[in-house]
Amino acid sequence: MRRITAAVAAGLMTFAGLAAANAPAEAATTAEAEYVALGDSYASGVGAGSYDPASGDCKRSTKNYPHLWAAAHPKYALKDVTCSGATIADIRDNQLSALSSTTNLVTLTVGGNDAQFSSVVKGCVTESDSYCQTATSWMSYYARNQLVGELTSLYKDIKTRSPKALILVFGYPQTLSMSGACSPIEFSPAKRTAMNGLADALAEGTKQAATNASAYFIDMRKQFEGHGACGSSPWVHSVNLADQTESFHPNAAGHEKGYAAKFSATWG
């Protein structure tokens, strides 16, 4: 995705005293702007460590991409309501209330749990190649079809609640490198291809939904290229027996060099 231009930003956001010609990086120089982070474990930072005790089971990390970006842009007041395990329904029930008519920026990563990501991964870890291929195929079909409508409706609801906000929808990366040994559990080439195929389906479905709702989709697949689990420089955890919730989630480097870097390259 190309960097968002000032002309586009001016059509989407209104800041007190902001001239339409200002560049995106200057958007918050005249007044504090409100940034709301929504989403699931990929947004909350499961796998990055340094979890805020007050966030409980939501496991919001101080090293997640919303916090990293907000720390570099102190004029933005961050409301981080991301939560591990969140589905689209959970976003509606528990997170949309953080939005307001004065919200200027919204980021969101969601859809993986609706596509049964954890269950599919578990099956790919414990079952045969054939089982993994079938499970990812079913969920890929869902991601390219039913999920599109569900996400489109959610994005439109966000726009209704926060009509001035720029909405950045961050996708999921491919989780596995196609080369390199996995530890402590090895993955066959067939399983790696199947799991990465599900990531592609989620990206394609999410991109279509963002297009439908006039939100901005940020594709993370190229950013993470060469940094999947089991590779030589992984930004994604492989199977973590000590904390299985972190398995196939971005580590601290994935949030810093992957998500936060792409965020900054796109928006200031």
Side-chain angles (χ1 to χ4, degrees), residues 110-157:
V110 73
N113 292 310
D114 296 272
Q116 303 296 313
F117 175 79
S118 295
S119 296
V120 171
V121 167
K122 182 178 179 180
C124 287
V125 169
T126 61
E127 303 292 341
S128 66
D129 286 3
S130 177
Y131 182 97
C132 180
Q133 290 169 325
T134 299
T136 55
S137 178
W138 275 105
M139 288 300 101
S140 292
Y141 180 83
Y142 163 78
R144 291 189 175 98
N145 293 276
Q146 183 178 337
L147 180 65
V148 175
E150 294 168 351
L151 287 175
T152 298
S153 178
L154 176 65
Y155 302 158
K156 288 182 176 179
D157 286 349

Side-chain angles (χ1 to χ4, degrees), residues 158-178:
I158 292 171
K159 291 177 73 72
T160 297
R161 287 174 178 260
S162 300
K164 297 178 182 179
L166 173 66
I167 302 170
L168 301 180
V169 177
F170 286 82
Y172 301 94
Q174 291 188 345
T175 55
L176 274 160
S177 172
M178 289 303 297

Side-chain angles (χ1 to χ4, degrees), residues 35 37 43-44 52 60-72 78 80 82:
Y35 165 30
S44 72
D52 178 3
R60 285 189 284 271
S61 171
T62 59
K63 296 180 180 179
N64 67 15
Y65 72 80
H67 275 84
L68 293 176
W69 189 88
L78 171 64
D80 184 358
T82 58

Side-chain angles (χ1 to χ4, degrees), residues 78-244:
L78 171 64
K79 291 183 182 179
D80 184 358
V81 293
T82 58
C83 192
S84 176
T87 62
I88 292 170
D90 293 324
I91 300 292
R92 291 186 182 282
D93 293 343
N94 305 316
Q95 298 185 23
L96 291 190
S97 59
L99 299 171
S100 71
S101 60
T102 60
T103 301
N104 305 107
L105 175 64
V106 178
T107 60
L108 173 65
T109 304
V110 73
N113 292 310
D114 296 272
Q116 303 296 313
F117 175 79
S118 295
S119 296
V120 171
V121 167
K122 182 178 179 180
C124 287
V125 169
T126 61
E127 303 292 341
S128 66
D129 286 3
S130 177
Y131 182 97
C132 180
Q133 290 169 325
T134 299
T136 55
S137 178
W138 275 105
M139 288 300 101
S140 292
Y141 180 83
Y142 163 78
R144 291 189 175 98
N145 293 276
Q146 183 178 337
L147 180 65
V148 175
E150 294 168 351
L151 287 175
T152 298
S153 178
L154 176 65
Y155 302 158
K156 288 182 176 179
D157 286 349
I158 292 171
K159 291 177 73 72
T160 297
R161 287 174 178 260
S162 300
K164 297 178 182 179
L166 173 66
I167 302 170
L168 301 180
V169 177
F170 286 82
Y172 301 94
Q174 291 188 345
T175 55
L176 274 160
S177 172
M178 289 303 297
S179 61
C182 286
S183 177
I185 297 173
E186 186 55 84
F187 286 83
S188 68
K191 287 184 177 181
R192 297 185 193 208
T193 298
M195 289 177 64
N196 287 340
L198 176 55
D200 289 338
L202 283 167
E204 292 161 13
T206 304
K207 180 179 180 179
Q208 184 59 58
T211 299
N212 294 347
S214 299
Y216 280 92
F217 173 68
I218 300 180
D219 194 335
M220 296 305 301
R221 290 174 293 176
K222 186 173 180 59
Q223 187 76 5
F224 274 74
E225 193 172 277
H227 298 285
C230 307
S232 58
S233 178
W235 293 353
V236 179
H237 290 282
S238 183
V239 176
N240 185 340
L241 296 178
D243 185 352
Q244 294 188 34

